[in-house]
Amino acid sequence: MAGVTPVLTAVPPIRLGLAGWPPQRQSGVRAKRGLPEYLAWVYERPGGGRSFGFSGGHGHWNWAHDDLRRLMLNALTWVAGAEVPAGGIDSTTPTLDQLVAGIRKPVPEGWDRASVERLLAEWREGQAAARTRP
């Protein structure tokens, strides 16, 4: 980890990483349950280059989360060597219809639009509450 700076760390939920994994890997996942994991990190190379790593890009719906988009835009700006504004870079929250339109494959049969709408509503409420905290 020499030269690597974590920028986003979280403790995953206990249930994460157990279903669907090959049994030989589950023991390693179980051993790390409850421990913090780096989700995003940066690295400044000795020659002046910059790198950003992020392990949270698996869910397409995540692009509706304002803080995730801000993290990615800030990271891209930083990697490019530009100044990141003090409050970060804002962007317009995509609608669910825009997100669905961005999927190249047909939406899977049995897809539950209502459950995704509830998830996005929870994120909006949580983000609004976070902005009003002192």
Side-chain angles (χ1 to χ4, degrees):
M1 295 280 302
V4 173
T5 303
V7 294
L8 181 60
T9 304
V11 177
I14 296 298
R15 71 181 186 283
L16 185 68
L18 298 179
W21 279 51
Q24 65 272 22
R25 290 192 182 169
Q26 287 190 11
S27 62
V29 172
R30 284 190 180 101
K32 294 180 181 180
R33 288 166 56 177
L35 298 175
E37 294 187 20
Y38 301 134
L39 302 175
W41 55 94
V42 295
Y43 176 71
E44 290 192 71
R45 293 187 297 282
R50 294 176 168 181
S51 301
F52 170 74
F54 179 61
S55 65
H58 297 84
H60 182 68
W61 313 123
N62 290 348
W63 293 110
H65 199 288
D66 293 338
D67 293 333
L68 174 108
R69 286 191 327 283
R70 184 175 297 109
L71 171 70
M72 298 304 292
L73 290 169
N74 292 348
L76 292 169
T77 301
W78 180 81
V79 165
E83 182 79 23
V84 177
I89 300 172
D90 288 324
S91 63
T92 304
T93 307
T95 65
L96 182 54
D97 287 333
Q98 289 170 323
L99 289 168
V100 170
I103 298 174
R104 294 194 187 273
K105 301 177 202 168
V107 175
E109 187 176 322
W111 176 69
D112 181 15
R113 182 183 182 97
S115 67
V116 176
E117 288 174 336
R118 282 190 300 275
L119 173 68
L120 302 183
E122 288 174 19
W123 286 349
R124 285 189 300 273
E125 290 168 15
Q127 292 170 126
R131 283 190 291 274
T132 60
R133 283 188 217 130

